[in-house]
Amino acid sequence: MATDPFASKFEQFMDTTRQDVRFSLRQMARSPWFSALVALTLAIGIGGSTAIFSVLKGIVLRELPYPEPERLVAVWEMQDGSISYQPFSGPDYLDVRAQSTTLQELGVTTGRWFNLAADGSPVRLEGARCTASLFRVLGVPPLHGRSFVEDEETEGNNHVVLLSHGLWQSQFGGEPDVVGRRVPVDGVPHEIVGVMPEDFEFPTPWGGRDTTQLWAPLVPPHEDSDRGWHSFGGVGRLADGVTLAEVEVELEAIAAQLAAAYPDTNAHTQMWVEPMMKRALGGVQKTMSFLLIVVALVLLIACANIASMLMARGAQRTPEIAIRSSVGADRHRLLRQLLTESLIQSIFGGIAGVALATWGVGALVAILPGNIPRVAGIEVDTPVLVFAALTTIAAGLLSGLAPALFAARTEIAVVLRDGLLGRGGSRGLNRFLGGLVAAQIAIGLMLVNAAVVLIMSYSNVVSQEMNFKTDEVMVAGISLLGPKYEEPHQRRAFYDELISRVQSVPGVIRAGLTGKLPLRGGSNGDVLVNDEIFDPSSGPGNLVEHSFIDEGYFDAMGIPLLAGRPFNAFDLEAASAAAGLDISPVELPLVINRTMAEQMWPGENALGKLVRPRSAEEHYRARVVGIVEDVMQWGAERPPLPEMYFPYTSEVWGPLWANLVVQAEGDPSPLAAAIRETVRRIDPQIPVAEPTTMAEILHQSTGRRRFAMLLMTLFAATALALIIAGTYGVMSYSVSQRTHEIGVRMALGADKALVIRHFLTRSARLFGPGLVLGLVGSLAASTLTRSMVFGVSPLNPIFVAAGVGAMIIVTSAAVTVPVLRATRVNPVEALKAE
């Protein structure tokens, strides 16, 4: 019977492979410490790469968890073609939704706080109001019950809520009959109509992590007078076969129609869209991709390190390989055997690397900043394991191919001629080892320079003058919602009593109120100053941040007063009385920041100046009574914007979502319990957000930069450790190969200084090219790091010099022991060994 040639060849291949694997395992057993070192080195590179890839996959590469996610877009308004994330107004949203044909559906949402009393104990929850259409846009049905319907977008019918899966578990014990139950939300009974799935991700048009726990219907304003109030983030679904360009063309036409119909509010308003994935990530993909490149460079250093080790070890196995070649083993067979050994070692390193990555992913998630989105999808799953397997194979080939090629070319005649040790090794081998050292140094210099730049950038961010106190100030969010606090005087009475009681707590220096905190963003609008007259055709005016505070806020926060005076009790009383009157415009006292004073009234005294809203209807007038120092409003890396502070009692923009600000004599942490108890005694149905300090808010606002800096520093330190080990190994091998030569030199009268100079010169020939290549690589890498630095150039000469100095110190430390060992060679013993 004829045999299948393919089956025969496959059987022969498998038989040979089994032999190679058994032989490789025996070789590893003979050198367990060497094998363990190789596996550990690879585990560091493979484990780091796998952990970072797991984070990248979970956040960036994983699709949005909605049907046909590529059709989801964020929809924004902007002014005069300048790309900005301006939310929709209610009337604009309704008009776009009614007129658009390129958007299959459009919904809007706005974040807010809710007070929920599920079991009698009130809790303050982060949630959102959204239109029923938004859930149709997403296409994710509730796990239990239903989502909202259009009829619930009207006052009186909107007392229904949807629960997140986490809230359902924590507040309702996961009870399946929760749908239909009525619970107090903001002091009013609401019906629970549904529970969303556990893996549901609510889109955050402003980016960041989804922390939404509760949803209620949004009642969009319909009146044309509300077109100037923008607060709704839009999410749309493209119609079948429609492109982003086609949507923007249509939106441009709709915006032009609205501009013609409503010139007072829409004369310069345009609209644009962006893929929802891009908006959800908010730029984090740049950081994660950069870190993946960094860890890949660390893996290359590990591979070069192992290649050096295998080359040195291969030189010791020269007699064995030469004998095998002399008895009939061809180069292809030897090459395959040596590569099998390298791959087997890499597999052990890969297994250890996956174990390291599994632990590392948990550590990475723990230190991820709170504004990184989509962290729930980070896990070591099948795609991550496939990546780890491919990385393991690639690492085995990269680290083992060159040593195998050199070893497979060994000939018995060369061994007989040069002796077992080769007296200095082949020139090709030495050149290749030198090239590996230079490559490691080049990559190491790039990583060290990037780490130094990121460390200095982070230091620049956190060492800025913030113009407010951090460690001594505690803040806690409070929302007065429900029938008991519908009227301004009811809210005023609560806050007056709260401030009075908190200031009597032992350890409290000063307490105050604010509608928003530094570093956490806020709201803004255009204003008119001096003799400016509202003209919708003139383009956008002066964009200014708005804050609402009480008389104690500046002292409690530690914001310096530069000129004039802060608010006093009379200001709050007058503003409160004016807010309760049906008159327009209301004139209010106003405190502004330094930037507003310098931009609006350069070279003038801003005190006494009048500010008005840039709108056809003059809702208020405000006269400047004080000027305070700037604070950063939108994070620690964006410069201060012009800002106005109104008395919170004026309620120019509706009820206050208050933040209680408390300055303590020392550590404010012990005051948290007292603050909660004080609020409970005034009204047990009003919950308090978990108190935190301004230091922690600053820490959170710099989270992404700190995360990148910490990992970059860790990877650079790992790279330096690998470089030390690799350089030490190469130099030790060089010394061992030249033992005979050193003995001869010393026998002929060479002193130790000459031997040291010889090896230091050889080291410099290896390090010099590596440093030059590293400088070139750092120049190329600066295009990637430029967007990640703050207050420093990515190629600052001082930091580059520091990186070069660090590499010199590292390499000097690596060669010190081998060079000193060379000076201790006994000439007699070296010659006798030959």
Side-chain angles (χ1 to χ4, degrees):
M1 178 182 292
T3 58
D4 183 355
F6 176 79
S8 177
K9 288 183 179 180
F10 178 76
E11 184 178 349
Q12 182 181 4
F13 171 80
M14 292 303 298
D15 183 62
T16 305
T17 300
R18 282 192 291 268
Q19 294 178 28
D20 289 342
V21 170
R22 284 196 296 268
F23 184 79
S24 299
L25 293 175
R26 286 198 300 269
Q27 288 292 112
M28 293 176 63
R30 290 172 184 169
S31 305
W33 290 110
F34 177 84
S35 301
L37 181 60
V38 170
L40 177 61
T41 304
L42 279 173
I44 293 173
I46 295 172
S49 300
T50 302
I52 294 296
F53 176 79
S54 177
V55 176
L56 181 70
K57 190 226 55 157
I59 295 176
V60 179
L61 302 181
R62 181 171 57 95
E63 283 190 336
L64 292 172
Y66 314 115
E68 300 181 277
E70 70 280 357
R71 292 171 54 190
L72 289 182
V73 292
V75 190
W76 299 99
E77 293 188 321
M78 60 183 176
Q79 298 294 318
D80 277 343
S82 177
I83 294 295
S84 62
Y85 295 98
Q86 176 177 294
F88 274 93
S89 67
D92 282 356
Y93 152 68
L94 293 171
D95 285 334
V96 171
R97 186 177 172 219
Q99 298 180 39
S100 176
T101 59
T102 58
L103 292 174
Q104 177 179 306
E105 188 61 275
L106 175 66
V108 292
T109 181
T110 183
R112 60 156 292 172
W113 293 96
F114 293 96
N115 293 340
L116 171 69
D119 58 357
S121 301
V123 291
R124 190 172 188 255
L125 303 173
E126 194 167 353
R129 289 198 178 274
C130 57
T131 58
S133 57
L134 182 58
F135 285 98
R136 293 196 298 272
V137 168
L138 302 179
V140 179
L143 176 67
H144 299 292
R146 62 170 177 86
S147 57
F148 305 139
V149 295
E150 302 288 345
D151 289 345
E152 290 165 343
E153 293 179 16
T154 57
E155 291 292 347
N157 292 337
N158 61 334
H159 295 160
V160 295
V161 291
L162 271 167
L163 308 180
S164 70
H165 192 276
L167 181 62
W168 176 50
Q169 295 290 326
S170 63
Q171 293 294 317
F172 300 92
E175 297 174 4
D177 61 347
V178 71
V179 174
R181 186 181 305 180
R182 299 181 70 81
V183 294
V185 178
D186 297 341
V188 177
H190 282 60
E191 180 185 352
I192 299 172
V193 297
V195 177
M196 296 307 293
E198 184 175 6
D199 58 352
F200 175 66
E201 294 181 16
F202 189 66
T204 51
W206 290 273
R209 186 176 301 181
D210 172 27
T211 53
T212 312
Q213 297 178 275
L214 186 75
W215 295 271
L218 171 66
V219 181
H222 291 71
E223 300 297 326
D224 289 337
S225 59
D226 293 316
R227 286 190 185 274
W229 302 94
H230 298 264
S231 58
F232 306 129
V235 181
R237 178 174 288 273
L238 302 181
D240 287 338
V242 172
T243 65
L244 289 178
E246 291 171 332
V247 176
E248 292 200 330
V249 168
E250 182 187 60
L251 290 179
E252 183 179 350
I254 295 174
Q257 295 174 16
L258 296 179
Y262 310 101
D264 287 351
T265 55
N266 290 62
H268 300 274
T269 300
Q270 295 168 291
M271 302 174 190
W272 64 289
V273 297
E274 65 176 336
M276 195 62 212
M277 173 63 91
K278 181 178 179 181
R279 178 84 302 261
L281 294 177
V284 71
Q285 68 270 29
K286 292 182 180 179
T287 300
M288 299 313 306
S289 299
F290 172 76
L291 291 175
L292 187 61
I293 293 172
V294 167
V295 78
L297 293 176
V298 174
L299 179 58
L300 284 178
I301 291 178
C303 290
N305 197 320
I306 292 169
S308 300
M309 295 161 60
L310 292 177
M311 297 279 275
R313 186 166 180 263
Q316 297 176 353
R317 295 177 62 184
T318 297
E320 169 205 332
I321 295 173
I323 292 172
R324 293 179 64 188
S325 178
S326 68
V327 297
D330 60 21
R331 288 184 178 177
H332 178 269
R333 186 69 185 84
L334 292 173
L335 179 63
R336 177 176 168 178
Q337 171 61 53
L338 294 170
L339 279 178
T340 300
E341 292 182 26
S342 176
L343 287 172
I344 293 294
Q345 290 175 326
S346 182
I347 288 172
F348 279 99
I351 293 172
V354 169
L356 181 63
T358 302
W359 171 85
V361 164
L364 287 175
V365 171
I367 66 171
L368 277 172
N371 58 356
I372 295 290
R374 315 191 71 215
V375 296
I378 300 175
E379 58 181 343
V380 179
D381 54 10
T382 300
V384 173
L385 293 177
V386 171
F387 172 85
L390 294 176
T391 303
T392 297
I393 294 172
L397 292 175
L398 278 174
S399 60
L401 184 59
L405 286 172
F406 271 97
R409 291 165 52 187
T410 301
E411 297 180 3
I412 189 65
V414 176
V415 176
L416 294 175
R417 184 183 71 237
D418 293 341
L420 295 181
L421 294 179
R423 294 187 184 181
S426 72
R427 292 182 179 179
L429 177 60
N430 287 330
R431 281 197 299 268
F432 187 79
L433 288 173
L436 290 178
V437 171
Q440 291 183 65
I441 292 172
I443 297 174
L445 178 57
M446 293 168 57
L447 296 178
V448 169
N449 181 65
V452 171
V453 168
L454 291 186
I455 290 171
M456 294 308 302
S457 294
Y458 180 72
S459 175
N460 289 340
V461 171
V462 298
S463 63
Q464 296 177 97
E465 180 54 61
M466 295 295 167
N467 297 322
F468 59 81
K469 295 183 182 297
T470 54
D471 295 330
E472 308 97 321
V473 174
M474 173 168 282
V475 297
I478 300 173
S479 301
L480 297 185
L481 302 165
K484 291 176 60 176
Y485 300 101
E486 286 183 350
E487 299 298 327
H489 72 272
Q490 295 172 315
R491 296 189 285 272
R492 173 89 187 275
F494 178 94
Y495 288 129
D496 283 349
E497 184 175 358
L498 174 64
I499 294 298
S500 175
R501 290 194 180 199
V502 169
Q503 290 190 148
S504 65
V505 173
V508 172
I509 296 177
R510 185 70 165 156
L513 294 171
T514 178
K516 70 179 182 67
L517 295 167
L519 307 176
R520 283 194 166 175
S523 54
N524 48 54
D526 289 340
V527 299
L528 300 173
V529 299
N530 303 326
D531 298 325
E532 293 177 336
I533 299 175
F534 174 67
D535 180 3
S537 64
S538 64
N542 308 298
L543 187 65
V544 179
E545 297 293 311
H546 293 66
S547 294
F548 299 88
I549 64 171
D550 74 343
E551 73 270 32
Y553 170 69
F554 292 129
D555 284 343
M557 186 64 74
I559 299 176
L561 179 71
L562 302 179
R565 63 174 179 82
F567 297 137
N568 53 39
F570 175 80
D571 293 323
L572 267 66
E573 188 62 40
S576 178
L581 298 176
D582 187 17
I583 60 174
S584 183
V586 175
E587 182 163 318
L588 303 168
L590 184 70
V591 175
I592 64 175
N593 69 346
R594 176 199 292 270
T595 294
M596 182 169 177
E598 293 176 349
Q599 288 188 10
M600 308 299 175
W601 299 281
E604 299 182 48
N605 183 3
L607 295 177
K609 300 294 186 181
L610 197 65
V611 179
R612 306 178 303 284
R614 187 184 178 276
S615 62
E617 183 179 352
E618 192 172 299
H619 303 287
Y620 67 86
R621 288 180 180 177
R623 197 169 298 277
V624 179
V625 300
I627 304 172
V628 295
E629 189 57 89
D630 292 332
V631 297
M632 297 178 192
Q633 304 98 343
W634 293 88
E637 299 186 29
R638 294 181 61 179
L641 301 172
E643 184 164 17
M644 302 189 301
Y645 297 90
F646 293 93
Y648 84 88
T649 50
S650 65
E651 298 198 354
V652 174
W653 281 358
L656 176 74
W657 311 104
N659 292 280
L660 175 66
V661 180
V662 178
Q663 185 182 144
E665 293 178 353
D667 179 14
S669 299
L671 297 177
I675 290 172
R676 285 192 290 264
E677 179 61 19
T678 299
V679 174
R680 191 194 66 79
R681 288 182 177 180
I682 299 173
D683 188 340
Q685 294 304 308
I686 296 298
V688 181
E690 185 63 30
T692 186
T693 64
M694 286 306 300
E696 179 58 26
I697 290 176
L698 175 61
H699 186 77
Q700 293 170 1
S701 72
T702 58
R704 290 193 183 185
R705 180 170 295 281
R706 182 174 57 257
F707 175 74
M709 181 268 295
L710 289 174
L711 286 190
M712 185 70 242
T713 304
L714 174 63
F715 293 145
T718 302
L720 291 180
L722 292 174
I723 290 170
I724 290 175
T727 305
Y728 172 83
V730 170
M731 292 305 297
S732 294
Y733 169 74
S734 178
V735 169
S736 67
Q737 292 293 86
R738 294 177 179 272
T739 300
H740 175 76
E741 174 188 336
I742 296 170
V744 171
R745 288 174 177 265
M746 297 185 72
L748 295 176
D751 57 9
K752 293 182 178 181
L754 182 63
V755 174
I756 291 174
R757 189 162 55 249
H758 169 78
F759 281 101
L760 290 180
T761 301
R762 171 172 167 73
S763 300
R765 290 173 182 169
L766 298 178
F767 305 153
L771 293 177
V772 172
L773 289 174
L775 291 173
V776 174
S778 296
L779 176 62
S782 65
T783 58
L784 294 175
T785 57
R786 192 171 303 279
S787 62
M788 301 178 66
V789 301
F790 183 87
V792 65
S793 167
L795 279 178
N796 186 295
I798 296 176
F799 301 151
V800 172
V804 172
M807 295 309 301
I808 292 175
I809 293 172
V810 164
T811 51
S812 298
V815 303
T816 298
V817 173
V819 169
L820 291 178
R821 186 184 301 156
T823 64
R824 299 193 183 104
V825 172
N826 187 318
V828 176
E829 294 297 325
L831 295 175
K832 186 185 298 182
E834 289 295 314

